[in-house]
Amino acid sequence: RRASEATERETTRAGAMRATAGALGGARARCERAIGARSVTKTRSARRGGRAIRAASAAELASKENKDVKVLVVGATGYIGKYVTRELCARGYDVTAFTREKSGIGGKTNATDAKALFPDAKVKFGDVGSKESIETKAFDEGAYDVVVSCLASRTGGVKDSWDIDYRATKNVLDVARERGSKHFVLLSAICVQKPTLTFQKAKLKFEAELQAAGDISYTIVRPTAFFKSLAGQVEVVQKGGPYVMFGDGQLASCKPISESDLAKFMADSIREPEMLNKVLPIGGPGEAMSALQQGTMLFELLEMEPKFIKVPIEVMDVVIKVLDVFAGFFSNMKDAAEFGKIGRYYAAESMLVMNDDGKYDAAATPSYGSDTLKEFFDKVSKEGLAGQELGDQAVFK
């Protein structure tokens, strides 16, 4: 009987413990659900708040005439920056160009040259690598309604990419937000959709932070190839040299866009509601063209017999492996290895929109403008490459 009573007491105690545990578990679950609900509500509220702020900013811009909209362009003396700054001036915006006192490719543009480039804009000088410089020299007269960044690393090297494509651009954004700017236009690149290179990763990191900012609207423009990047072999071919391409010349294709058409597209983004808070890939008019098609078109324009040299892409792979080995021992070789990877990337990867299946899709790549590559090649063949300098990282010079 005593054993039976003890067993009954243990059963009762165990049942009570299970009931208590169940009650505590239920209370904890209800608490967690409540906390989770508050967290979700808070996140949703933040998102709604961000959208409301951005909508209000857009509405305020829309109510102003162009002459009353203050626009700051950073990277104004860069290759694309020059076109963008002039386009904004042509549209009547109150434009300020911010640049280094020695800027442009190789630092060839001095302060006097920079002012001469933009007679219809204010030109200010400073260092985008320094937040203090941006605050005291670019924003010294107050806020800007719109900030347009045409900043890009000069070489694509490892340090240069993080310094310019991320940190300097982030400095500009931080000051713009602190001073109450309403819209930020970023010149990025279509190749960031498949990021294997340092400059692509740096650009993507900044893109993500811009999109997450919440208190400033944005337009991220990802152009395909520029005309100038395809012009490096025109003079060589004119002098009787061969057109060099990798593989069979059909490894990669692009829909190149002219610098002036790209500048117009970027200027449009200030006013067009459908371009607000969007990532916008953009190419030029016409069909996508491979290196073989570009070379064939060039020979036809020059009325010359086609002469191609086809370099196996594997050659670049070998070079990159060798450079990577040296980079492991010598830090000053890291950029050389990165330049090799950049060349390899552009030889094999198309500058087109990548679809959901991970394939490049010419039909999905938007077109804009009226300038064609054929017209550009024709012009360069007659007038030369003045103003089309290829920069420090060019493969063909």
Side-chain angles (χ1 to χ4, degrees):
R1 187 168 55 250
R2 283 194 297 271
S4 176
E5 288 172 351
T7 300
E8 184 177 345
R9 284 195 298 274
E10 286 299 318
T11 301
T12 301
R13 186 181 298 113
M17 290 175 67
R18 285 195 297 273
T20 301
L24 287 171
R28 183 166 57 249
R30 287 192 294 275
C31 181
E32 288 173 350
R33 285 196 296 271
I35 292 171
R38 286 196 295 272
S39 178
V40 170
T41 300
K42 185 176 180 180
T43 300
R44 288 174 178 168
S45 176
R47 287 175 180 168
R48 285 195 296 270
R51 286 196 295 269
I53 290 171
R54 287 169 171 170
S57 296
E60 186 175 342
L61 273 180
S63 67
K64 292 185 175 182
E65 295 183 26
N66 285 8
K67 65 181 179 63
D68 299 319
V69 176
K70 296 182 67 177
V71 182
L72 174 70
V73 182
V74 292
T77 55
Y79 186 71
I80 300 300
K82 287 185 286 191
Y83 287 87
V84 172
T85 303
R86 290 166 180 161
E87 179 64 26
L88 292 169
C89 289
R91 297 191 184 195
Y93 288 104
D94 182 359
V95 179
T96 297
F98 188 63
T99 185
R100 294 167 292 146
E101 290 197 1
K102 289 188 177 181
S103 59
I105 296 173
K108 295 177 182 177
T109 304
N110 61 31
T112 302
D113 296 332
K115 290 179 180 179
L117 282 173
F118 311 121
D120 298 318
K122 295 178 185 176
V123 181
K124 297 183 178 182
F125 301 96
D127 178 13
V128 289
S130 163
K131 188 176 176 183
E132 181 183 2
S133 178
I134 297 166
E135 291 171 335
T136 58
K137 296 181 179 179
F139 284 78
D140 57 323
E141 296 179 36
Y144 296 90
D145 299 294
V146 179
V147 175
V148 179
S149 174
C150 296
L151 294 173
S153 56
R154 290 172 288 278
T155 65
V158 176
K159 184 178 184 301
D160 194 33
S161 294
W162 285 111
D163 283 348
I164 304 300
D165 292 310
Y166 176 68
R167 295 187 189 91
T169 316
K170 179 70 160 47
N171 287 341
V172 176
L173 174 63
D174 288 345
V175 177
R177 293 173 65 191
E178 290 168 6
R179 298 297 178 90
S181 296
K182 301 168 185 64
H183 189 59
F184 195 101
V185 181
L186 174 69
L187 175 63
S188 186
I190 201 167
C191 60
V192 300
Q193 63 190 337
K194 188 177 179 180
T196 63
L197 304 170
T198 302
F199 82 86
Q200 296 165 339
K201 296 171 184 176
K203 285 180 182 293
L204 271 182
K205 182 174 174 62
F206 177 77
E207 282 191 16
E209 294 187 18
L210 174 59
Q211 292 175 77
D215 55 0
I216 187 170
S217 63
Y218 64 86
T219 301
I220 297 172
V221 179
R222 291 180 177 177
T224 58
F226 305 143
F227 281 4
K228 77 151 186 175
S229 65
L230 307 176
Q233 299 193 71
V234 175
E235 290 183 341
V236 173
V237 170
Q238 277 186 301
K239 294 175 182 177
Y243 189 95
V244 180
M245 55 192 181
F246 293 95
D248 62 357
Q250 301 183 77
L251 294 174
S253 297
C254 65
K255 293 176 71 173
I257 185 168
S258 75
E259 295 72 16
S260 57
D261 280 342
L262 176 57
K264 292 180 175 70
F265 184 82
M266 292 182 67
D268 288 348
S269 71
I270 295 175
R271 290 293 193 187
E272 297 294 336
E274 65 270 18
M275 299 174 78
L276 192 69
N277 301 324
K278 298 282 181 64
V279 177
L280 302 173
I282 192 65
E287 300 297 319
M289 298 184 72
S290 66
L292 178 61
Q293 290 172 308
Q294 294 166 30
T296 300
M297 181 177 68
L298 178 57
F299 282 114
E300 289 176 353
L301 276 170
L302 298 174
E303 299 181 344
M304 297 175 68
E305 188 70 24
K307 187 194 306 182
F308 294 102
I309 288 183
K310 299 178 180 180
V311 180
I313 194 70
E314 292 78 13
V315 171
M316 297 195 75
D317 293 332
V318 173
V319 172
I320 290 168
K321 286 180 181 179
V322 172
L323 291 172
D324 272 338
V325 170
F326 279 104
F329 294 97
F330 307 102
S331 59
N332 61 347
M333 291 296 292
K334 288 183 179 178
D335 277 354
E338 189 71 11
F339 298 154
K341 292 171 186 175
I342 291 172
R344 171 66 166 79
Y345 189 100
Y346 284 118
E349 302 291 341
S350 292
M351 297 298 107
L352 300 169
V353 167
M354 186 174 285
N355 62 28
D356 294 336
D357 297 326
K359 296 180 180 179
Y360 293 113
D361 190 340
T365 306
S367 296
Y368 179 93
S370 58
D371 298 338
T372 67
L373 183 62
K374 184 177 181 179
E375 293 169 341
F376 174 75
F377 276 174
D378 186 47
K379 180 180 179 181
V380 169
S381 69
K382 296 173 181 175
E383 301 177 10
L385 279 167
Q388 302 289 336
E389 292 82 2
L390 298 178
D392 299 324
Q393 74 275 37
V395 176
F396 302 109
K397 290 189 178 182

